[in-house]
Amino acid sequence: LLAATVASLAFAAAASAQTVGFSQIGSESGWRAAETTLTKQQAEERGIDLKFSDAQQKQENQIAAIRAFVAQGVDAILLAPVVATGWDSALEEAKESDIPVILLDRQIDASDDLYMTAVGADSVHEGEVAGGWLVDTVDGKDCNVVELQGTTGSSVAIERKEGFEKAIADHPNVKIIRSQTGDFTRSGGKEVMESFIQAENGGENICALFAHNDDMAVGAIQAIKEAGLQPGKDILTVSIDGVPDYFKAMANGEANATVELTPNMAGPAFDALEAYWADGTMPQKFIQTDSKIYTQADDPEGEYERRKGLGY
Ligand code: GZL
């Protein structure tokens, strides 16, 4: 009788375990790797059965993953959408199967009824904070900026660019002279920065780099050093994410500022799902608007130590 009771309790517990499909973009940056680590940890802690799919940064792989999750009959889908458009038909299928979808860290151009909520940050604000720091730092002096854009067509690349341009709009001394995507990767950042340096008199004309994420900036810092220039001095650097290796570069005086973005998007997403599963509560959008900028004055070595073990 005892064995039967234990078995039925175990079955009941397993039956109540929710299954969530996670269509992750890829592992293009340290920030992305941390988001994946934290999502898996949170699922484990909450007894959620996570089905993980890495799309290698290809939208068609994400669409295939969404369709597979619908076919499996998962209880919910997390989607970090690599680009902002082209999701309607896949999300319609999830909707028809009453499977709630939550967007993580990027937005899509689709009607709100195709997803339950979105967890992320105000990317326009992130770009504005970065631009505002540069304007203040150069303090009226002329500054030619090169820009490493994130993945073309992603909401964050579009919005970070918009925010940065807004911040420098009234300061004609700060000018973007070259702008190109490095696809959020270190190798992309290095390659494109090499071409910027080559095209701009060996880098002599470049005063600052604005990178849409730290990983591209870390790659660009390598290119600046290989060109015989001092990153953080000859060419100022400002970027976004707050990954450990960028704090390390700041501690070494080779980078100047980064706008922090938490990789913990899964926490609010799972909270929203658990509330929905419990009693049908529909969540609000969860958009962080108080992005903090860190500079060399903010104990970068300490920030590096604090963050290096967090799954980046
Ligand atoms: C931001 C996220 C971006 C990070 C990059 O919300 O979508 O994607 O800033 C990552 O590091 O590639």
Side-chain angles (χ1 to χ4, degrees):
L1 181 60
L2 179 62
T5 308
V6 167
S8 62
L9 282 175
F11 175 75
S16 71
Q18 304 286 3
T19 301
V20 173
F22 178 19
S23 171
Q24 178 59 297
I25 289 174
S27 52
E28 74 282 2
S29 72
W31 185 93
R32 182 69 52 198
E35 182 186 56
T36 294
T37 302
L38 288 172
T39 304
K40 290 179 175 175
Q41 280 173 356
Q42 296 254 3
E44 179 86 25
E45 285 160 16
R46 298 169 188 244
I48 289 171
D49 177 11
L50 190 76
K51 305 289 183 195
F52 181 76
S53 157
D54 176 327
Q56 315 280 319
Q57 282 192 276
K58 291 184 175 60
Q59 180 175 30
E60 62 265 26
N61 292 344
Q62 292 201 280
I63 289 170
I66 293 167
R67 293 207 155 109
F69 293 147
V70 172
Q72 284 168 31
V74 297
D75 298 295
I77 291 171
L78 301 182
L79 169 65
V82 60
V83 292
T85 56
W87 301 99
D88 290 43
S89 59
L91 295 182
E92 285 289 354
E93 288 181 28
K95 186 166 188 270
E96 276 150 29
S97 300
D98 284 331
I99 298 174
V101 174
I102 296 189
L103 304 182
L104 299 189
D105 79 77
R106 294 186 190 177
Q107 307 294 330
I108 61 175
D109 300 342
S111 54
D112 281 0
D113 70 346
L114 283 180
Y115 57 95
M116 184 170 146
T117 188
V119 180
D122 177 344
S123 303
V124 174
H125 178 65
E126 292 170 327
E128 274 186 288
V129 172
W133 173 84
L134 185 60
V135 165
D136 294 347
T137 300
V138 300
D139 190 22
K141 286 191 288 298
D142 283 353
C143 185
N144 288 336
V145 184
V146 293
E147 179 183 27
L148 286 170
Q149 295 186 38
T151 299
T152 303
S154 66
S155 65
V156 282
I158 294 163
E159 292 168 6
R160 286 173 178 174
K161 180 171 190 48
E162 181 189 329
F164 187 87
E165 288 172 348
K166 223 160 109 180
I168 67 172
D170 299 338
H171 303 273
N173 57 304
V174 181
K175 223 178 8 272
I176 297 175
I177 57 170
R178 288 184 186 274
S179 180
Q180 195 178 322
T181 184
D183 213 14
F184 281 132
T185 65
R186 292 191 183 199
S187 57
K190 183 170 190 287
E191 281 158 32
V192 175
M193 191 67 194
E194 283 163 354
S195 68
F196 286 162
I197 289 168
Q198 208 157 29
E200 290 298 340
N201 189 22
E204 294 301 314
N205 301 347
I206 302 171
C207 149
L209 162 68
F210 168 49
H212 289 188
N213 82 332
D214 289 352
D215 280 67
M216 291 192 290
V218 167
I221 285 166
Q222 192 56 37
I224 295 168
K225 289 161 81 170
E226 287 172 6
L229 297 170
Q230 294 182 75
K233 299 177 184 64
D234 299 327
I235 297 180
L236 299 174
T237 71
V238 57
S239 67
I240 300 168
D241 277 350
V243 303
D245 285 351
Y246 191 85
F247 280 107
K248 192 73 188 163
M250 283 208 280
N252 297 337
E254 296 178 342
N256 301 93
T258 182
V259 179
E260 180 187 39
L261 174 68
T262 175
N264 179 20
M265 302 286 172
F270 285 141
D271 288 347
L273 283 172
E274 285 172 346
Y276 173 71
W277 286 326
D279 59 17
T281 305
M282 288 305 285
Q284 303 302 319
K285 268 194 175 183
F286 184 92
I287 303 295
Q288 183 185 346
T289 56
D290 59 348
S291 307
K292 176 175 171 14
I293 192 160
Y294 286 80
T295 69
Q296 289 179 8
D298 297 310
D299 181 20
E301 186 60 41
E303 290 303 331
Y304 167 73
E305 289 301 328
R306 258 188 290 287
R307 296 160 192 265
K308 69 180 179 183
L310 298 182
Y312 283 92

